[in-house]
Amino acid sequence: MNRIITVLILWLVSLQGFSQMEFNACLFDASRNRVIPITVYQPQKVNTKTKVVVFSHGYDGNKNIQSNQTYSYLTRFLSQKGFYVISVQHELPDDPLLAMEDPFMETRMPNWERGVANILFTIQEFRKLKSELDWNSLILIGHSNGGDMTMLFATQYPELISKAISLDHRRMVMPRLHEPQLCTLRGCDYDADEGVLPTEQEQEKYHIKVVNLDGITHSNMGENGTKVQHDLINQYIYKFVK
C-alpha cells in the first residue's frame, strides 16, 4: 500500500517582528501509524536560497504536546534571519517514557531512533511540499534529548545534512566526521557522559566546535532562560549556521 500522507493545518497566524508566518500542522507516517505534529516558522521571503532548519525539543515527560513550541526564542529568531524552520513534536501522550537507567546509549536508543524516524519523515515530506527550498544546506538543531536525536541522525544520515547543532545533549556520542559540520553548546551545570564529546585533538581534526557557555544552565536553554541568555545562544547558533 502506498504511503498516505495527511497534512492538517490547525492554525495560521502572522507575527510582526518575527517570522512572516507561523502554523501548526500534523504529518501522518502510515508506515508507523504515527502522527507527527510540527510547527513551521516561515520567513518573510522564500526562494531557492532559503535554508531549512529542523529543530528537536528536549524531553518533557510526555506531559506537553506542544514542547516543540517552547523554543520560540530560537525558532522565531532563525525565521527572522531568513531560515525556514520546522520544529518537530517528538513526544505523544501514549509514548513510552524515556529510560532513566544506564547504559543510556542502549536504554534510550529506541527513543532516539523514533526521533530520527520523525525527522527523516518530516524532511522527506517537506522536500516534496517545499521543493523550492535549499535542501542541500539542511541544518539540524536539538536541545538535550533532542540533541541526542540530532547527533544520532548525523551519525546515520550524514549525507542528508550540512550542519548539526546540539544544545547541551549529554548521552549520544557525537560522530567523529568531517561532514556534516558539528557544533555543541554546553551548559555550565552538567557534564556529558564519557566519550560523548570529542577530545581537543578530535575537535581540531574534524573541525567540531564545542562552546562552553558560562552562566547558562541546561534548563536555561529552554523556556526557563532569560532574554540575555537566549540572545547569547542565538548569537552563537547564527554565527555557526549563516
Side-chain angles (χ1 to χ4, degrees):
M1 179 183 296
N2 291 333
R3 194 169 53 187
I4 300 174
I5 310 302
T6 303
V7 181
L8 301 175
I9 304 300
L10 302 181
W11 57 267
L12 183 65
V13 61
S14 296
L15 293 177
Q16 294 182 350
F18 291 102
S19 55
Q20 180 71 12
M21 182 183 299
E22 292 181 20
F23 64 86
N24 291 339
C26 287
L27 305 178
F28 182 67
D29 184 351
S31 67
R32 295 186 296 149
N33 192 32
R34 184 175 182 86
V35 173
I36 306 172
I38 60 169
T39 300
V40 174
Y41 302 83
Q42 180 172 304
Q44 186 174 5
K45 296 180 180 180
V46 174
N47 53 45
T48 57
K49 295 183 180 180
T50 302
K51 297 181 180 180
V52 180
V53 172
V54 177
F55 182 82
S56 296
H57 62 84
Y59 181 62
D60 201 16
N62 301 2
K63 296 177 293 186
N64 183 3
I65 61 171
Q66 296 179 331
S67 298
N68 64 324
Q69 297 176 34
T70 61
Y71 297 81
S72 58
Y73 79 88
L74 172 58
T75 50
R76 286 176 179 166
F77 169 79
L78 290 174
S79 177
Q80 185 185 24
K81 292 297 184 181
F83 294 86
Y84 192 98
V85 184
I86 308 168
S87 187
V88 179
Q89 176 66 33
H90 290 290
E91 297 174 28
L92 301 180
D94 57 350
D95 283 339
L97 295 176
L98 185 66
M100 294 298 170
E101 68 279 354
D102 284 324
F104 293 114
M105 280 288 291
E106 295 179 13
T107 60
R108 293 190 176 181
M109 189 58 67
N111 179 284
W112 300 342
E113 289 178 337
R114 187 183 69 218
V116 167
N118 292 341
I119 295 169
L120 181 61
F121 185 82
T122 299
I123 292 170
Q124 291 171 337
E125 295 313 304
F126 267 83
R127 287 189 74 141
K128 292 182 285 188
L129 292 168
K130 302 292 293 184
S131 60
E132 71 274 19
L133 301 178
D134 180 8
W135 291 100
N136 292 322
S137 303
L138 181 61
I139 301 162
L140 298 190
I141 304 175
H143 174 230
S144 190
N145 194 58
D148 291 321
M149 295 175 182
T150 295
M151 289 303 150
L152 180 60
F153 191 101
T155 301
Q156 294 182 343
Y157 301 101
E159 72 282 359
L160 295 183
I161 57 178
S162 65
K163 298 181 180 180
I165 306 169
S166 87
L167 303 179
D168 209 41
H169 85 290
R170 298 167 56 204
R171 312 299 186 186
M172 174 63 203
V173 174
M174 294 184 73
R176 275 54 166 177
L177 300 170
H178 291 287
E179 295 181 356
Q181 297 177 22
L182 302 179
C183 174
T184 181
L185 305 185
R186 312 308 305 169
C188 64
D189 53 342
Y190 295 116
D191 292 327
D193 289 350
E194 184 177 358
V196 167
L197 302 181
T199 64
E200 291 185 2
Q201 292 78 12
E202 290 172 331
Q203 292 175 41
E204 182 177 354
K205 178 179 179 179
Y206 297 106
H207 304 290
I208 299 174
K209 192 170 185 62
V210 178
V211 180
N212 295 307
L213 299 178
D214 294 334
I216 297 181
T217 67
H218 185 84
S219 64
N220 290 155
M221 296 182 180
E223 60 184 340
N224 294 325
T226 67
K227 184 179 185 303
V228 171
Q229 291 169 329
H230 288 169
D231 286 347
L232 182 61
I233 293 168
N234 287 344
Q235 176 184 331
Y236 276 110
I237 289 179
Y238 183 59
K239 183 178 179 180
F240 185 74
V241 299
K242 72 175 182 177

